[in-house]
């Protein structure tokens, strides 16, 4: 499967995806390590870090996805509470990103292909 959109739409779709994964973690529908294997390991993550079209807040959120699971191993006593706090903070950032986007400039188009693609 492959999903494509233009760079102007990327902030919207990535923030929306991050928000959904974070909410699923908060509710226990997915385990925190899902963050590591979802947005935390996006192919070309270094491209996101140096992107001129993505906000610093979104770069921070994506960069934190691989850290959410760490709390349980670093602090077994308070790890779950710290995970939930971090998830909430990242959700607030995602919501702020979505609130502050200029939707007039976006076409909000996305192309979905169900062909198999390699994960080079």
């Amino acid at each position: 499967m492959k999903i494509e959109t233009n760079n102007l739409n990327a902030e919207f779709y990535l923030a929306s995806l991050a928000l959904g994964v974070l909410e699923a973690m908060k509710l226990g529908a997915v385990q925190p390590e899902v963050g590591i294997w979802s947005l935390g390991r996006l192919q070309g993550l270094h491209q996101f870090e140096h992107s001129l079209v993505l906000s610093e807040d979104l770069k921070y959120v994506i960069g934190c996805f691989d850290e959410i699971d760490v709390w349980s191993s670093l602090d077994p006593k308070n790890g779950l509470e710290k995970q939930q706090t971090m998830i909430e903070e990242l959700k607030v950032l995602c919501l702020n990103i979505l609130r502050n986007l200029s939707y007039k400039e976006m076409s909000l188009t996305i192309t979905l292909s169900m062909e198999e693609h390699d994960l080079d």
Side-chain angles (χ1 to χ4, degrees), residues 3-92:
I3 298 174
E4 292 184 358
T5 189
N6 65 43
N7 285 343
L8 289 177
N9 299 335
E11 185 96 357
F12 170 79
Y13 287 114
L14 288 170
S16 297
L17 179 59
L19 183 60
V21 173
L22 290 164
E23 183 65 16
M25 283 183 205
K26 176 186 172 197
L27 297 174
V30 297
Q31 296 300 310
E33 65 263 13
V34 167
I36 295 170
W37 301 113
S38 61
L39 291 175
R41 296 275 170 97
L42 283 174
Q43 186 177 13
L45 186 58
H46 64 283
Q47 291 176 341
F48 292 111
E49 294 170 354
H50 301 292
S51 171
L52 299 177
V53 294
L54 298 179
S55 68
E56 292 303 313
D57 282 346
L58 184 57
K59 292 175 191 179
Y60 176 77
V61 169
I62 292 171
C64 287
F65 260 70
D66 65 348
E67 297 177 21
I68 295 170
D69 188 45
V70 172
W71 287 110
S72 59
S73 60
L74 288 179
D75 187 357
K77 182 178 178 185
N78 300 310
L80 183 59
E81 183 179 325
K82 289 184 179 184
Q83 281 177 343
Q84 292 298 317
T85 300
M86 184 176 204
I87 288 169
E88 280 303 314
E89 290 171 359
L90 296 175
K91 282 178 51 184
V92 167

Side-chain angles (χ1 to χ4, degrees), residues 91-116:
K91 282 178 51 184
V92 167
L93 281 174
C94 287
L95 290 169
N96 285 336
I97 290 166
L98 293 170
R99 282 185 190 109
N100 293 316
L101 287 175
S102 175
Y103 292 98
K104 292 178 184 178
E105 296 176 19
M106 290 187 241
S107 60
L108 291 179
T109 57
I110 192 165
T111 303
L112 175 65
S113 169
M114 295 305 291
E115 296 177 25
E116 289 190 30

